[in-house]
Amino acid sequence: MICQSVPKFRDRLTDTIFKDMILNMKKEITAYNSVLELVGNTPIIKLNKVSEGLKGNFYAKVEAFNPGHSAKDRIALHIINSAEEKGILKPGATIVETTSGNTGFSLAMISIIKGYKCILAVSDKSSQDKIDMLKSMGAKVYVCPASVAADDPRSYYEVAKRVHEETPNSIYINQYFNELNIDAHYCSTGKEIWEQTDGLVTHVVVCSGTGGTISGIGRYLKEQNPTIKVLGVDAFGSVLKKYHETKEFDEKEIFPYKIEGLGKNLIPTATDFDIIDQYVKVTDKESAIMAREISRTEGLFVGYTSGAAFQAVKQYAEQGEFDENSNVVVIFPDHGSRYMSKIYSDEWMQEQGFLDIENIDESLKIEI
Ligand code: PMP
């Protein structure tokens, strides 16, 4: 039996004074009212290993720290809040969107908290993990073919439009053609990077899909310091880089590729091409291998486009874009858990010809 010794008189006296103090103090539980209060203010983290051998300092802004595990929480919340303020969103409304997964997850999460219904049209290129996650968050999901033209009635753009037209009291988020997509990143991500780096940022490297992230960040940063370089990342199989250089939509650029959320087969108005200094294109293979390397060496479990973004950093470095004084912020858009059946599956990597298991680095083999 454990006995407590009887406190001495002085101890009892301090005890009583202390108890009185506590009773007189107003106690409060420190808690967030909902996950929505945790959107934004993501950290920037120095990249120590993957940047070895490159001139400059490299920092990742890790968007997986958002409650919905991606940068898309920012635009989803901003667009829904704006619609509520304008009186467009009424109680019990339905939120409709085309999404490669991340925006859908953010919309579904916000719909739960705010009491809306959520219907999503998703490309069949999206990983099964992403589709299952959307359903787990209560969204209704239509899976549409990625291989058809944007104006084909089966495309996820057309399906979302139709659902919106046929559903009373619904709004269509339309992230590819919504200026609020840029605003969301202008007001939050861009401002955060400026403040977190104390204005010392010299370059940002950002993946371009809808273009909201790169345009919002670029616009804010260039207003503070016009010499900051805004460097884009595009995919082979996408039209964005060519359009940026020629202002022409070249259909010949389009072919299927694996990276989800990067590049596009149309020109989104949510991209402000004038803000972007340059694009590089990255391959499916190098981006996948890079994402795995970031996870293993930095302890940051990142998604496919984070690999694409750092692969682009390497290519920009090879072009001589950075020097010893460069402070480069690279956006890591989402979390690795969304790609377990793809880039983090050795089988999938082998099927794509991305991983040669015979010649795999000995240090990576697991002994049982
Ligand atoms: N990475 C991922 C995983 C995405 O889902 C997206 C969005 N399509 C992007 C990058 C690109 O961001 P943005 O749409 O703002 O250009």
Coordinates of all heavy atoms in Angstrom, one line a residue, residues 69-72 75 99-103 130 156 175-176 181-182 185 206-216 233 240 259-264 268 270-271 279 303-306 308 331-335 338-339, ligand 1:
H69 N -5.0 18.1 -45.2 CA -3.7 17.6 -45.7 C -3.3 18.1 -47.1 O -2.5 17.5 -47.8 CB -3.7 16.0 -45.7 CG -4.0 15.4 -44.4 ND1 -4.6 14.2 -44.3 CD2 -3.8 15.9 -43.2 CE1 -4.8 14.0 -43.0 NE2 -4.3 15.0 -42.3
S70 N -3.8 19.2 -47.5 CA -3.3 19.8 -48.8 C -3.6 21.3 -48.8 O -4.4 21.8 -48.1 CB -4.0 19.2 -50.0 OG -5.2 19.8 -50.4
A71 N -3.0 22.0 -49.8 CA -3.1 23.4 -50.0 C -4.6 23.8 -50.4 O -5.0 24.9 -50.3 CB -2.2 23.9 -51.1
K72 N -5.3 22.8 -50.8 CA -6.7 23.1 -51.3 C -7.7 23.5 -50.2 O -8.7 24.1 -50.5 CB -7.2 21.9 -52.1 CG -6.4 21.6 -53.4 CD -6.6 22.8 -54.4 CE -5.8 22.5 -55.7 NZ -6.0 23.5 -56.7
I75 N -8.3 27.3 -50.6 CA -9.2 27.8 -51.6 C -10.6 27.4 -51.3 O -11.5 28.2 -51.5 CB -8.8 27.5 -53.1 CG1 -9.0 26.0 -53.4 CG2 -7.3 27.9 -53.4 CD1 -9.1 25.7 -54.9
T99 N -12.7 17.8 -59.5 CA -11.5 17.8 -58.6 C -10.7 16.5 -58.8 O -11.2 15.4 -59.0 CB -11.9 17.9 -57.1 OG1 -10.8 17.6 -56.3 CG2 -13.1 17.0 -56.8
S100 N -9.3 16.7 -58.8 CA -8.5 15.5 -58.9 C -8.4 14.8 -57.5 O -7.6 13.9 -57.3 CB -7.1 15.9 -59.3 OG -6.4 16.7 -58.3
G101 N -9.1 15.4 -56.5 CA -9.1 14.7 -55.2 C -9.0 15.7 -54.1 O -9.8 15.7 -53.2
N102 N -7.9 16.5 -54.1 CA -7.6 17.3 -52.9 C -8.6 18.4 -52.7 O -9.1 18.6 -51.5 CB -6.2 17.9 -53.1 CG -5.1 16.9 -52.8 OD1 -5.3 16.0 -52.0 ND2 -4.0 17.1 -53.5
T103 N -9.1 19.1 -53.7 CA -10.1 20.1 -53.5 C -11.4 19.5 -53.0 O -12.0 20.0 -52.2 CB -10.3 20.9 -54.9 OG1 -9.1 21.3 -55.3 CG2 -11.3 22.1 -54.6
K130 N -7.7 8.3 -53.0 CA -8.3 9.6 -53.0 C -9.8 9.5 -53.1 O -10.6 10.1 -52.4 CB -7.8 10.4 -54.1 CG -6.4 11.1 -53.9 CD -6.1 12.1 -55.0 CE -4.8 12.8 -54.8 NZ -4.4 13.6 -55.9
Y156 N -15.0 15.3 -66.7 CA -15.5 15.7 -65.4 C -15.9 17.2 -65.3 O -16.7 17.5 -64.4 CB -14.5 15.3 -64.3 CG -13.1 15.8 -64.3 CD1 -12.6 16.5 -63.1 CD2 -12.2 15.7 -65.3 CE1 -11.3 17.0 -63.1 CE2 -10.9 16.1 -65.3 CZ -10.5 16.8 -64.1 OH -9.2 17.2 -64.1
Q175 N -12.9 25.7 -59.8 CA -11.6 26.2 -59.4 C -10.7 26.7 -60.6 O -9.9 27.5 -60.4 CB -10.9 25.2 -58.5 CG -10.7 23.9 -59.2 CD -9.9 22.9 -58.3 OE1 -9.0 23.4 -57.6 NE2 -10.1 21.6 -58.5
Y176 N -10.9 26.0 -61.8 CA -10.0 26.4 -62.9 C -10.3 27.8 -63.5 O -9.5 28.4 -64.1 CB -10.2 25.3 -64.0 CG -9.5 24.1 -63.7 CD1 -10.1 23.0 -63.0 CD2 -8.1 23.9 -63.9 CE1 -9.5 21.9 -62.6 CE2 -7.4 22.7 -63.6 CZ -8.1 21.7 -62.9 OH -7.5 20.6 -62.5
N181 N -9.8 31.6 -56.5 CA -8.7 30.6 -56.3 C -7.4 31.4 -56.1 O -6.6 31.1 -55.2 CB -8.7 29.7 -57.5 CG -7.7 28.6 -57.5 OD1 -6.8 28.5 -56.6 ND2 -7.8 27.7 -58.5
I182 N -7.1 32.4 -57.0 CA -5.9 33.2 -56.9 C -5.9 34.0 -55.6 O -4.9 34.0 -54.8 CB -5.7 34.1 -58.1 CG1 -5.7 33.3 -59.4 CG2 -4.5 35.0 -57.9 CD1 -5.5 34.1 -60.7
H185 N -4.8 32.3 -52.3 CA -3.3 32.1 -52.1 C -2.6 33.5 -52.0 O -1.6 33.6 -51.3 CB -2.7 31.3 -53.2 CG -3.1 29.9 -53.2 ND1 -2.6 29.0 -52.2 CD2 -4.0 29.2 -53.9 CE1 -3.1 27.8 -52.4 NE2 -4.0 27.9 -53.4
V206 N 6.8 26.4 -57.8 CA 5.4 26.1 -57.5 C 4.8 25.2 -58.6 O 4.9 25.6 -59.8 CB 4.5 27.3 -57.3 CG1 3.2 26.9 -56.7 CG2 5.2 28.3 -56.4
C207 N 4.1 24.1 -58.3 CA 3.4 23.3 -59.3 C 2.2 24.1 -59.8 O 1.6 24.8 -59.1 CB 2.9 22.0 -58.7 SG 4.2 20.9 -58.3
S208 N 1.9 23.9 -61.1 CA 0.8 24.6 -61.8 C -0.2 23.6 -62.3 O 0.1 22.7 -63.1 CB 1.4 25.4 -62.9 OG 0.6 26.5 -63.3
G209 N -1.4 23.7 -61.7 CA -2.6 22.9 -62.2 C -3.6 23.9 -62.6 O -3.7 24.4 -63.7
T210 N -4.5 24.3 -61.6 CA -5.4 25.4 -61.9 C -4.6 26.7 -62.0 O -5.0 27.6 -62.6 CB -6.4 25.6 -60.7 OG1 -5.7 26.0 -59.5 CG2 -7.2 24.3 -60.4
G211 N -3.4 26.7 -61.4 CA -2.6 27.9 -61.4 C -2.9 28.9 -60.2 O -2.2 29.9 -60.1
G212 N -3.8 28.5 -59.4 CA -4.2 29.4 -58.3 C -3.0 29.6 -57.3 O -2.8 30.7 -56.9
T213 N -2.4 28.5 -57.0 CA -1.3 28.6 -56.0 C -0.2 29.5 -56.5 O 0.3 30.5 -55.8 CB -0.7 27.2 -55.7 OG1 -1.8 26.3 -55.5 CG2 0.2 27.2 -54.4
I214 N 0.4 29.2 -57.7 CA 1.5 30.0 -58.2 C 1.1 31.4 -58.5 O 1.9 32.3 -58.2 CB 2.1 29.3 -59.5 CG1 3.4 30.0 -59.9 CG2 1.1 29.3 -60.7 CD1 4.3 29.2 -60.9
S215 N -0.1 31.7 -59.0 CA -0.5 33.0 -59.3 C -0.7 33.9 -58.0 O -0.3 35.0 -58.0 CB -1.8 33.0 -60.1 OG -1.6 32.2 -61.2
G216 N -1.4 33.3 -57.0 CA -1.6 34.0 -55.8 C -0.3 34.3 -55.0 O -0.1 35.5 -54.6
V233 N 6.1 24.8 -62.4 CA 6.4 23.4 -62.7 C 5.2 22.9 -63.5 O 4.1 23.1 -63.1 CB 6.5 22.6 -61.4 CG1 6.9 21.2 -61.7 CG2 7.4 23.2 -60.4
L240 N 0.6 24.0 -70.5 CA 0.8 25.2 -69.8 C 2.2 25.9 -70.2 O 2.2 27.1 -70.5 CB 0.8 25.0 -68.3 CG -0.5 24.5 -67.7 CD1 -0.4 24.3 -66.2 CD2 -1.7 25.5 -68.0
I259 N 1.2 12.0 -63.2 CA 1.2 12.9 -62.0 C -0.2 13.5 -61.9 O -0.7 14.1 -62.9 CB 2.2 14.0 -62.1 CG1 3.6 13.4 -62.5 CG2 2.3 14.7 -60.8 CD1 4.7 14.5 -62.7
E260 N -0.8 13.4 -60.7 CA -2.1 13.9 -60.5 C -2.0 15.4 -60.0 O -1.3 15.6 -59.0 CB -2.9 13.1 -59.5 CG -3.1 11.7 -59.9 CD -3.4 10.8 -58.7 OE1 -4.1 11.2 -57.8 OE2 -2.9 9.6 -58.8
G261 N -2.8 16.3 -60.6 CA -2.9 17.6 -60.1 C -2.0 18.6 -60.7 O -2.0 19.8 -60.5
L262 N -1.0 18.1 -61.5 CA 0.0 18.9 -62.2 C -0.3 19.1 -63.7 O -0.7 18.1 -64.3 CB 1.4 18.3 -62.0 CG 2.5 19.1 -62.6 CD1 2.8 20.4 -61.8 CD2 3.8 18.3 -62.6
G263 N -0.2 20.3 -64.2 CA -0.4 20.5 -65.6 C -1.8 20.5 -66.0 O -2.7 20.3 -65.2
K264 N -2.1 20.8 -67.3 CA -3.5 20.8 -67.7 C -3.6 20.6 -69.2 O -2.7 20.9 -70.0 CB -4.1 22.2 -67.4 CG -5.5 22.2 -66.9 CD -5.8 21.3 -65.8 CE -7.0 20.5 -66.1 NZ -7.1 19.3 -65.2
P268 N -6.4 27.5 -67.9 CA -7.3 27.9 -66.9 C -7.2 29.4 -66.7 O -6.0 30.0 -66.7 CB -6.7 27.2 -65.6 CG -5.6 26.4 -66.1 CD -5.2 26.8 -67.4
A270 N -7.7 30.8 -63.9 CA -7.1 30.9 -62.6 C -5.6 31.0 -62.6 O -5.0 31.0 -61.5 CB -7.6 29.8 -61.7
T271 N -5.0 31.0 -63.8 CA -3.6 31.2 -63.9 C -3.3 32.5 -64.5 O -3.8 32.9 -65.5 CB -2.9 30.1 -64.9 OG1 -3.4 28.8 -64.5 CG2 -1.4 30.2 -64.8
Y279 N 8.6 28.3 -66.9 CA 8.2 26.9 -66.5 C 9.3 25.9 -66.8 O 10.0 26.1 -67.8 CB 6.9 26.5 -67.3 CG 5.6 26.9 -66.7 CD1 4.9 28.0 -67.3 CD2 5.0 26.3 -65.6 CE1 3.6 28.3 -66.9 CE2 3.8 26.6 -65.2 CZ 3.1 27.6 -65.8 OH 1.8 28.0 -65.3
G303 N 3.4 14.1 -51.1 CA 2.7 13.6 -52.3 C 3.5 13.6 -53.6 O 4.7 14.1 -53.6
Y304 N 2.9 13.2 -54.7 CA 3.6 13.1 -56.0 C 4.1 14.4 -56.5 O 5.2 14.6 -57.0 CB 2.6 12.4 -57.0 CG 3.2 11.7 -58.2 CD1 2.4 10.9 -58.9 CD2 4.5 11.8 -58.6 CE1 2.8 10.2 -60.0 CE2 5.0 11.1 -59.7 CZ 4.2 10.3 -60.4 OH 4.7 9.6 -61.5
T305 N 3.2 15.5 -56.4 CA 3.7 16.8 -56.9 C 4.7 17.5 -56.1 O 5.4 18.4 -56.6 CB 2.4 17.7 -57.1 OG1 1.7 17.8 -55.9 CG2 1.5 17.3 -58.2
S306 N 4.9 17.0 -54.8 CA 6.0 17.6 -54.0 C 7.3 17.0 -54.7 O 8.3 17.8 -54.8 CB 5.9 17.1 -52.6 OG 4.7 17.5 -52.0
A308 N 7.6 16.3 -57.8 CA 7.7 17.1 -59.1 C 8.3 18.4 -58.8 O 9.2 18.9 -59.5 CB 6.3 17.2 -59.7
I331 N 6.9 24.8 -52.8 CA 5.6 24.4 -52.2 C 5.5 22.9 -52.4 O 5.6 22.3 -53.5 CB 4.4 25.1 -52.9 CG1 4.6 26.6 -52.9 CG2 3.1 24.7 -52.3 CD1 4.6 27.3 -51.6
F332 N 5.2 22.2 -51.2 CA 4.9 20.8 -51.2 C 3.4 20.7 -51.0 O 2.9 20.9 -49.9 CB 5.6 20.1 -50.1 CG 7.1 19.8 -50.3 CD1 7.9 19.2 -49.4 CD2 7.7 20.1 -51.6 CE1 9.3 18.9 -49.6 CE2 9.0 19.8 -51.8 CZ 9.8 19.2 -50.8
P333 N 2.6 20.4 -52.1 CA 1.2 20.6 -52.0 C 0.4 19.6 -51.2 O -0.7 20.0 -50.6 CB 0.7 20.5 -53.5 CG 1.9 20.7 -54.3 CD 3.1 20.2 -53.5
D334 N 0.8 18.4 -51.0 CA 0.0 17.5 -50.2 C 0.8 16.3 -49.6 O 2.0 16.3 -49.7 CB -1.3 17.0 -51.0 CG -0.9 16.0 -52.1 OD1 0.3 15.7 -52.4 OD2 -1.9 15.4 -52.8
H335 N 0.0 15.4 -49.0 CA 0.6 14.4 -48.1 C 0.8 13.0 -48.9 O 0.0 12.7 -49.7 CB -0.3 14.2 -46.9 CG 0.3 13.4 -45.8 ND1 0.1 12.1 -45.5 CD2 1.3 13.9 -44.9 CE1 0.8 11.8 -44.5 NE2 1.5 12.8 -44.0
R338 N -1.9 9.9 -49.6 CA -2.8 9.8 -50.7 C -2.3 8.9 -51.9 O -3.0 8.8 -52.9 CB -3.2 11.2 -51.2 CG -3.9 11.9 -50.1 CD -4.8 13.0 -50.4 NE -5.5 13.3 -49.2 CZ -6.0 14.5 -48.8 NH1 -5.9 15.5 -49.7 NH2 -6.6 14.6 -47.7
Y339 N -1.0 8.5 -51.8 CA -0.4 7.8 -52.9 C 0.1 6.4 -52.6 O 1.1 6.0 -53.2 CB 0.7 8.7 -53.5 CG 0.1 10.1 -53.9 CD1 0.1 11.1 -52.9 CD2 -0.5 10.3 -55.1 CE1 -0.4 12.3 -53.2 CE2 -1.0 11.6 -55.4 CZ -1.0 12.6 -54.4 OH -1.6 13.8 -54.6
Ligands
PMP1 N1 -0.4 19.4 -56.5 C1 -1.6 18.7 -56.3 C2 -1.5 17.4 -55.6 C3 -2.8 19.2 -56.7 O1 -3.9 18.5 -56.4 C4 -2.8 20.4 -57.3 C5 -4.2 21.0 -57.8 N2 -4.6 20.6 -59.1 C6 -1.6 21.1 -57.6 C7 -0.5 20.6 -57.1 C8 -1.5 22.4 -58.3 O2 -2.1 23.5 -57.6 P1 -2.9 24.6 -58.4 O3 -4.2 24.0 -58.8 O4 -3.2 25.7 -57.4 O5 -2.1 25.1 -59.5

